Amino acid sequence: KTAEVKKLAEKYFGSIPPGVLPEPIYTAEPEQPGERRVDVQFEASPTIYIAYHGPAFKSPDISAFKVMDRALSDGRTSRLYKSLDLDKQICLDISTSFFPSEGDLGTESGNIYVISAYPKEGVESADLEKAIYEELVKLSSTPVEDKELTKIKNRLDAEFIWNLYSNLGMAWRLASIQNQTKDWRYLN
């Protein structure tokens, strides 16, 4: 029972004084003047990773960035899947992710946004890479249609609500938000 737990916590931990919080560590990545490319050759299935710097969670661009990610890779109606898997049939699988993945918000200094793709047998990695960049150019030059935008926003809202549905989900979100922002109210 709650009252008993509080009583035991006070009995065993109440006399322990709080410790001094360590100073936060701030590291900044140096400016990157251009592309960094690594080609690794060995006996394995080919894989392409394309990575970009993403915005920090407090950036005004984070919402647009999340919508962009969903337009590119969220399910069978996403742009990358429809174009590369269904239409051109040059890809076994394509997905996006954030690294490091630190909860719903991302990191204070920004994530790395990664596009991972696996070409079908007989398809050159360079051809798949070119097709990915073509889709990125299309997204940057063609506005997202209202129907697509509404669908993405609805899914984001639904996922947010479903993630708060259970006590565990609520606790995880509140703890994660408190850890990242130092204020659990940021969830709102």
Side-chain angles (χ1 to χ4, degrees):
K1 295 185 178 177
T2 304
E4 291 175 28
V5 171
K6 284 183 176 180
K7 198 168 152 182
L8 288 171
E10 186 60 41
K11 176 181 176 184
Y12 290 106
F13 301 107
S15 64
I16 300 173
V20 177
L21 292 175
E23 287 292 319
I25 299 172
Y26 298 102
T27 56
E29 189 167 337
E31 186 68 30
Q32 295 180 19
E35 177 185 65
R36 295 180 185 181
R37 181 178 283 270
V38 176
D39 290 317
V40 178
Q41 302 287 326
F42 62 95
E43 197 63 36
S45 297
T47 305
I48 296 171
Y49 293 101
I50 300 170
Y52 294 96
H53 288 278
F57 74 82
K58 290 184 178 180
S59 166
D61 296 331
I62 193 67
S63 295
F65 199 81
K66 287 183 178 185
V67 169
M68 176 213 66
D69 172 53
R70 294 302 179 102
L72 283 174
S73 68
D74 190 22
R76 294 182 170 271
T77 59
S78 68
R79 293 172 179 223
L80 291 174
Y81 181 82
K82 283 194 313 190
S83 174
L84 305 179
D85 281 2
L86 297 179
D87 296 344
K88 295 178 183 173
Q89 297 187 0
I90 60 173
C91 190
L92 291 173
D93 186 38
I94 189 159
S95 61
T96 60
S97 59
F98 295 92
F99 178 83
S101 177
E102 294 191 20
D104 292 333
L105 297 181
T107 63
E108 201 166 341
S109 59
N111 287 328
I112 302 294
Y113 181 68
V114 181
I115 301 170
S116 309
Y118 306 91
K120 280 191 173 180
E121 189 172 337
V123 174
E124 293 294 322
S125 295
D127 294 335
L128 179 56
E129 180 182 0
K130 181 180 175 202
I132 292 169
Y133 285 127
E134 286 171 359
E135 284 303 312
L136 295 177
V137 168
K138 276 186 205 173
L139 182 63
S140 69
S141 61
T142 308
V144 176
E145 293 179 13
D146 289 340
K147 183 179 177 182
E148 184 180 14
L149 186 58
T150 299
K151 183 182 93 172
I152 291 168
K153 287 179 178 181
N154 288 344
R155 284 190 72 160
L156 286 167
D157 286 346
E159 286 174 15
F160 177 78
I161 291 166
W162 274 107
N163 286 329
L164 299 175
Y165 190 70
S166 70
N167 288 339
L168 177 61
M170 175 77 78
W172 186 84
R173 294 283 169 309
L174 288 171
S176 145
I177 301 281
Q178 176 67 30
N179 184 45
Q180 288 176 280
T181 67
K182 309 303 180 237
D183 183 6
W184 61 269
R185 292 170 198 84
Y186 193 89
L187 181 69
N188 295 327

